[in-house]
Amino acid sequence: MDTRDLPSDSSPWMPFESRRRARDEKRDAVLRTAVQLFLEQGYHRATLNEVAERLNITKPALYNYFRSKEEILFECWAIGQEQVDDFIAEINASDDNGLVKLRRLVRAYAENMATDYGASLVRFDPRDLSEKNSRIVRAAKRGIDRTFRKYIAEGMADGSIKPCDPKMTAFMIAGSLNWIGHWFQPGGELSAEAIAGEFALRLTEGLAARPARKRAAAAPAKRRRAGGGSR
């Protein structure tokens, strides 16, 4: 029988787009499983054999998607960093004042820290990566720090944030946020959203400048007290 007479859907091969989609889904499954295992056991203790076992595939099958364990580690970090880059780009595109931008950044960063890929930004050691990838990670960390400082400086300039040291303030805020990646456990008493909201408030309320109307209203009161009160 001439194979040209067969219906088009009788091919044993999936269409190219379907094959690529299936491959991408399997690749994503490898990353999701690996990042969970790395966080549970630590990068050095976790093995690719265990990743393969959880996926019910053979270890050689993993090499269809990744060349090494280190490449998987870097990809897990990269996904977390892409999420950070995305919400920073969204905040940068807004017309919000510095305080609002800072609060939005704190909230989004806190929520990201409560995810596996977000936690990989602070739980994995860049020294386990190749020199090239390690440089990329260090540069990205500096970029996040600069963003915190920028929003704080913008807030000081527009009057929404009290005068402070942007560098020290950024270190304190980021340090608090990064610890979420170490202690957060899904299914706990507070959801990631609730924790993010609380952090956004608590880490910025002391920085917020008083509204201009309140400052203006306080001035006459001070003058009256200085003059012995109203007559």
Side-chain angles (χ1 to χ4, degrees), residues 41-86:
Q41 300 186 14
Y43 173 68
H44 292 287
R45 291 182 58 193
T47 67
L48 292 186
N49 279 330
E50 291 173 298
V51 174
E53 287 174 5
R54 289 195 180 189
L55 290 166
N56 198 30
I57 61 176
T58 63
K59 181 180 176 180
L62 290 176
Y63 293 104
N64 289 322
Y65 310 100
F66 298 98
R67 292 168 294 182
S68 66
K69 182 180 174 184
E70 188 265 342
E71 184 180 5
I72 294 175
L73 181 70
F74 180 73
E75 284 298 314
C76 291
W77 170 87
I79 292 174
Q81 183 62 43
E82 286 171 4
Q83 293 169 347
V84 173
D85 291 341
D86 287 345

Side-chain angles (χ1 to χ4, degrees), residues 11-28:
S11 171
W13 300 101
M14 290 188 294
F16 174 75
E17 285 300 325
S18 297
R19 293 202 309 274
R20 185 172 64 178
R21 183 164 56 251
R23 180 178 176 82
D24 289 344
E25 289 173 355
K26 291 176 181 177
R27 186 177 186 276
D28 290 344

Side-chain angles (χ1 to χ4, degrees), residues 97-103 147-166 169 173 203-211 215:
N97 64 35
L99 178 63
V100 173
K101 285 183 177 179
L102 180 62
R103 282 181 172 158
T147 301
F148 274 104
R149 296 192 203 186
K150 182 179 75 169
Y151 292 164
I152 293 167
E154 286 180 6
M156 291 168 57
D158 64 34
S160 61
I161 291 178
K162 298 175 183 177
C164 63
D165 182 335
T169 304
I173 292 175
L203 291 178
T204 63
E205 62 182 348
L207 296 173
R210 287 186 298 171
R215 291 199 300 269

Side-chain angles (χ1 to χ4, degrees), residues 35-201:
V35 73
Q36 290 170 1
L37 195 62
F38 292 167
L39 291 172
E40 289 172 12
Q41 300 186 14
Y43 173 68
H44 292 287
R45 291 182 58 193
T47 67
L48 292 186
N49 279 330
E50 291 173 298
V51 174
E53 287 174 5
R54 289 195 180 189
L55 290 166
N56 198 30
I57 61 176
T58 63
K59 181 180 176 180
L62 290 176
Y63 293 104
N64 289 322
Y65 310 100
F66 298 98
R67 292 168 294 182
S68 66
K69 182 180 174 184
E70 188 265 342
E71 184 180 5
I72 294 175
L73 181 70
F74 180 73
E75 284 298 314
C76 291
W77 170 87
I79 292 174
Q81 183 62 43
E82 286 171 4
Q83 293 169 347
V84 173
D85 291 341
D86 287 345
F87 61 67
I88 286 179
E90 182 179 346
I91 296 170
N92 282 339
S94 74
D95 294 325
D96 296 327
N97 64 35
L99 178 63
V100 173
K101 285 183 177 179
L102 180 62
R103 282 181 172 158
R104 289 180 62 187
L105 177 58
V106 170
R107 180 185 293 273
Y109 195 89
E111 287 194 37
N112 196 46
M113 282 293 105
T115 68
D116 287 342
Y117 291 125
S120 73
L121 298 178
V122 295
R123 296 272 296 276
F124 299 159
D125 192 338
R127 290 174 296 184
D128 291 324
L129 299 170
S130 67
E131 181 56 33
K132 174 184 176 182
N133 288 341
S134 182
R135 287 197 302 270
I136 293 172
V137 170
R138 290 195 297 269
K141 288 179 181 291
R142 290 193 296 270
I144 294 172
D145 175 61
R146 284 195 299 269
T147 301
F148 274 104
R149 296 192 203 186
K150 182 179 75 169
Y151 292 164
I152 293 167
E154 286 180 6
M156 291 168 57
D158 64 34
S160 61
I161 291 178
K162 298 175 183 177
C164 63
D165 182 335
K167 178 180 179 180
M168 182 65 68
T169 304
F171 281 170
M172 289 189 293
I173 292 175
S176 298
L177 291 171
N178 286 340
W179 271 106
I180 297 175
H182 292 272
W183 57 257
F184 177 79
Q185 292 294 328
E189 184 178 347
L190 292 176
S191 66
E193 293 78 9
I195 290 171
E198 189 70 11
F199 268 65
L201 174 63

